[in-house]
Amino acid sequence: MAVLLLAEVNDGELALDATAKAVAAAKSLGDVTALCVGATAAAAAEAAAKIDGVSKVLCAEDAGLGHRLAEATAALIVSLAGDYEHIVAPATTDAKNILPRVAALLDVMVLTDVSGVVDGATFERPIYAGNAIQTVKSSDATKVISFRTSTFDAAGEQAAAPVETISATENPGLSEWVEDKVAASDRPELTSAGVVVSGGRGVGSEENFAMIEALADKLGAAVGASRAAVDSGFAPNDWQVGQTGKVVAPELYIAIGISGAIQHLAGMKDSKVIVAINKDEEAPIFQVADFGLVADLFDAVPELTEKLG
Amino acid sequence: MKVLVPVKRVIDYNVKVRVKADGSGVDLANVKMSMNPFDEIAVEEAIRLKEAGKADEIVAVSIGVKQSQETLRTALAMGADRAILVVAADDVHTDIEPLAVAKILAKIVEEEQPGLVLCGKQAIDNDMNATGQMVSALLGWSQATFASKLDIEGDAATVTREVDGGLQTIKVKMPAIVTVDLRLNEPRYASLPNIMKAKKKPMDEKTAADYGVDVSPRLEVVKTSEPAERAAGIKVGSVDELVAKLKEAGAV
Ligand SMILES: Cc1cc2nc3c(=O)[nH]c(=O)nc-3n(C[C@H](O)[C@H](O)[C@H](O)COP(=O)(O)OP(=O)(O)OC[C@H]3O[C@@H](n4cnc5c(N)ncnc54)[C@H](O)[C@@H]3O)c2cc1C
């Protein structure tokens, strides 16, 4: 049985953590061929070849495949699909954009955000904001799957597997890239960070978020946010943790001024240690917190930042 | 331009779902149901396009149990012009898979010829995040997912998308499928007079068979279980105690 794994490639660079986690999830399904796609993808292909469990890498470089526009990338994957029983990817926004399109073109269902592999046809996935786990068995010939990266450990390294260059399929030319707005940051990536410090509506303003960031920097942490904090303009959209944002499971998650709505819990309740700082002792976040501090965040956060020195 | 907006009847987002003890599924009997919040955003955007003179008709579609007509009435009360109900299940616990929904929607698109389909990016019950992309695939249309900004100018739409790295802007050819994200707009509430008026707006009733689509599932639900519970934590009395506990736990 063979697996085609769409590697996460951003502007020519491999997102190693997300890709290696998907490889770990897919390994038991069969021989993994990683597909690296982009306007440039050769360097990403070389990096993917060194992920333990990858037996071959296919590299497709073409201007039309830049920015991973769904139509062109899906067409390429469909052209390769005949050789594989599983087509998988880490559950990033790119994969969520592309894989359902692939599945429909193959007339099969897609399995998104899979958190567990039972066997080659049976998988677990969270539903209802993670308040239930469904085990489903696919009757489709090809299984198209995105893996929730927070539930798998990244695969290690190996001696490089062979890389083969393939050409792009004809670009349907339905969409074109205009621009990316990506804030450069020295902080670790939210979904792979060991520590995440998140702020909510209680933080009150974009300026006050500096306090959350200072604590994060002290801990070498990534910064997260609740939907309310993002909606209010305190934090950028890519910081949102939750059912409809990013799902994280760090060693330590610190929730500050966050009430703990089910949609937020969905994105962080698998964290190893959870700390909540909230002035409302009834806040639901305390039900999942290992250590809860009922306090005004404007006193507690600067003090915590100082004392963690 | 005609805009088609699919809307799904789902558990209300404020309700925490209960898993049935026998593992057969979740309990949806006597639970508050509402329009999927992302679909409300899609309906709102369609109304705004109409108000801006860029759309002239909004057709809301729901595929599921008969009770989905309530969801369609909400869409009509918000400002949709007419509705199509496709009855595809009898039991409120039956979730029609995105692939089957997409096939029915593709047929409706062929009949209705809209210039734009606006979908929610995901349904908050099955959390699949798939239907819009699948409709787009079946029609061979352009797709723009996770939209936080939508600008339609002539035969192209400029869409800003919420992606893992931040924001991406793309330009797609019309007709297009756009799936909407949280920050696109804030949906309006239907006013009482509009709720009354909505009762008189037309609603067609169809079945999946009318469109020749087989809705039998490709994924068999083997079981549904509760997620692992977290062990109860403790409250600490001060920042000092918190720091001590974190050090003890090896977390810092
Ligand atoms: C379709 C849908 C999808 C959603 N997806 C997500 C998602 O992915 N992620 C997400 O987070 N939410 C999501 N939400 C929103 C979610 O329902 C909540 O509204 C949101 O999480 C609330 O954010 P919050 O906790 O920051 O704000 P609030 O609920 O307003 O809580 C603020 C908290 O701050 C505390 N506070 C205020 N001032 C202070 C102070 N000085 N010191 C200490 N504490 C203070 C308050 O006691 C309160 O508990 C979604 C909602 C919907 C409908």
Side-chain angles (χ1 to χ4, degrees):
Chain A
M1 297 304 143
V3 181
L4 181 66
L5 182 143
L6 177 64
E8 178 76 5
V9 180
N10 299 315
D11 290 335
E13 209 181 301
L14 182 75
L16 179 63
D17 183 74
T19 306
K21 283 172 174 168
V23 171
K27 249 195 293 197
S28 68
L29 300 171
D31 256 3
V32 177
T33 298
L35 172 65
C36 292
V37 176
T40 57
E46 268 176 44
K50 293 187 192 131
I51 299 174
D52 182 28
V54 171
S55 57
K56 185 165 112 184
V57 179
L58 300 177
C59 175
E61 288 189 323
D62 189 275
L65 294 169
H67 312 289
R68 304 266 298 267
L69 295 171
E71 301 89 343
T73 307
L76 174 66
I77 295 173
V78 169
S79 75
L80 302 169
D83 296 335
Y84 304 94
E85 188 179 341
H86 296 89
I87 297 174
V88 307
T92 58
T93 46
D94 274 349
K96 287 175 178 174
N97 187 32
I98 294 162
L99 289 189
R101 189 174 181 98
V102 170
L105 292 171
L106 296 173
D107 191 23
V108 302
M109 253 303 279
V110 67
L111 289 130
T112 56
D113 257 326
V114 163
S115 56
V117 176
V118 179
D119 60 39
T122 316
F123 303 91
E124 290 171 356
R125 56 182 303 277
I127 54 174
Y128 292 95
N131 286 305
I133 309 292
Q134 201 173 53
T135 306
V136 290
K137 185 167 185 211
S138 167
S139 58
D140 284 321
T142 310
K143 284 89 181 162
V144 178
I145 301 165
S146 66
F147 288 113
R148 172 168 277 205
T149 50
S150 64
T151 52
F152 297 96
D153 291 327
E157 285 178 50
Q158 65 175 15
V163 177
E164 189 183 309
T165 306
I166 58 168
S167 35
T169 41
E170 204 188 325
N171 187 344
L174 293 167
S175 51
E176 60 184 90
W177 173 80
V178 178
E179 67 167 348
D180 284 338
K181 278 208 182 116
V182 177
S185 162
D186 294 335
R187 295 198 185 98
E189 214 250 310
L190 189 50
T191 51
S192 57
V195 181
V196 174
V197 180
S198 286
R201 198 197 310 267
V203 176
S205 70
E206 191 183 355
E207 294 73 51
N208 292 348
F209 237 78
M211 210 167 55
I212 304 296
E213 297 182 50
L215 174 57
D217 290 341
K218 192 76 175 258
L219 291 166
V223 184
S226 71
R227 175 192 172 181
V230 177
D231 284 4
S232 311
F234 307 169
N237 67 282
D238 48 304
W239 288 5
Q240 183 179 311
V241 170
Q243 180 184 18
T244 57
K246 287 181 180 152
V247 178
V248 302
E251 293 294 312
L252 174 62
Y253 187 90
I254 306 183
I256 300 167
I258 293 178
S259 62
I262 47 180
Q263 292 84 8
H264 189 79
L265 301 184
M268 46 64 76
K269 70 181 161 63
D270 292 332
S271 305
K272 191 130 179 270
V273 174
I274 297 175
V275 171
I277 301 176
N278 196 304
K279 68 178 180 189
D280 172 12
E281 64 175 322
E282 302 291 323
I285 190 76
F286 288 123
Q287 291 163 18
V288 299
D290 298 281
F291 305 119
L293 177 62
V294 181
D296 190 310
L297 69 91
F298 295 102
D299 301 326
V301 175
E303 189 185 340
L304 181 61
T305 308
E306 193 195 308
K307 290 188 170 156
L308 282 171
Chain B
M1 179 180 70
K2 190 192 284 189
V3 183
L4 193 80
V5 188
V7 296
K8 185 175 186 186
R9 179 180 188 267
V10 298
I11 190 166
D12 187 83
Y13 81 97
N14 272 314
V15 179
K16 187 172 169 185
V17 78
R18 249 179 246 284
V19 176
K20 289 197 230 166
D22 64 359
S24 65
V26 299
D27 192 358
L28 294 178
N30 306 316
V31 169
K32 183 174 180 209
M33 304 295 279
S34 300
M35 188 189 300
N36 181 41
F38 287 101
D39 304 346
E40 283 181 349
I41 296 170
V43 173
E44 175 65 34
E45 195 65 14
I47 299 167
R48 291 186 189 189
L49 286 171
K50 195 176 165 193
E51 287 168 349
K54 299 205 167 175
D56 45 37
E57 192 186 22
I58 303 165
V59 183
V61 182
S62 194
I63 297 158
V65 289
K66 194 151 181 151
Q67 292 90 318
S68 301
Q69 58 181 270
E70 294 159 20
T71 315
L72 287 169
R73 286 288 167 214
T74 306
L76 294 170
M78 285 174 74
D81 297 295
R82 62 189 172 86
I84 304 171
L85 170 68
V86 183
V87 178
D90 304 322
D91 181 345
V92 293
H93 294 93
T94 307
D95 189 37
I96 310 293
E97 287 177 351
L99 181 63
V101 170
K103 286 180 178 179
I104 295 171
L105 288 173
K107 294 274 192 216
I108 295 176
V109 166
E110 280 163 19
E111 268 178 33
E112 294 280 343
Q113 301 281 320
L116 174 69
V117 180
L118 274 173
C119 306
K121 82 160 176 181
Q122 99 190 45
I124 62 162
D125 51 2
N126 63 29
D127 280 333
M128 275 285 185
N129 192 336
T131 303
Q133 296 90 315
M134 289 185 142
V135 178
S136 174
L138 297 174
L139 294 167
W141 284 16
S142 60
Q143 91 182 33
T145 50
F146 325 145
S148 63
K149 193 161 182 284
L150 168 65
D151 254 316
I152 297 172
E153 225 36 84
D155 60 359
T158 304
V159 182
T160 301
R161 310 176 51 232
E162 292 202 355
V163 294
D164 285 341
L167 296 169
Q168 180 189 51
T169 302
I170 60 172
K171 197 168 168 181
V172 298
K173 273 198 184 137
M174 300 291 276
I177 309 277
V178 176
T179 81
V180 307
D181 216 320
L182 297 170
R183 256 104 22 208
L184 182 61
N185 61 48
E186 229 177 282
R188 69 194 66 191
Y189 290 102
S191 67
L192 197 57
N194 285 344
I195 292 172
M196 299 313 289
K197 265 192 249 163
K199 292 187 177 154
K200 296 201 191 81
K201 289 186 179 176
M203 187 183 305
D204 271 355
E205 193 179 317
K206 304 271 193 184
T207 65
D210 291 339
Y211 297 100
V213 174
D214 175 7
V215 298
S216 36
R218 305 293 185 85
L219 306 177
E220 177 206 340
V221 179
V222 180
K223 71 166 188 229
T224 306
S225 50
E226 295 259 12
E229 283 275 335
R230 284 189 77 89
I234 56 160
K235 289 246 172 75
V236 292
S238 66
V239 170
D240 286 323
E241 196 187 339
L242 177 59
V243 172
K245 289 286 180 202
L246 286 174
K247 287 194 171 147
E248 214 178 287
V252 291

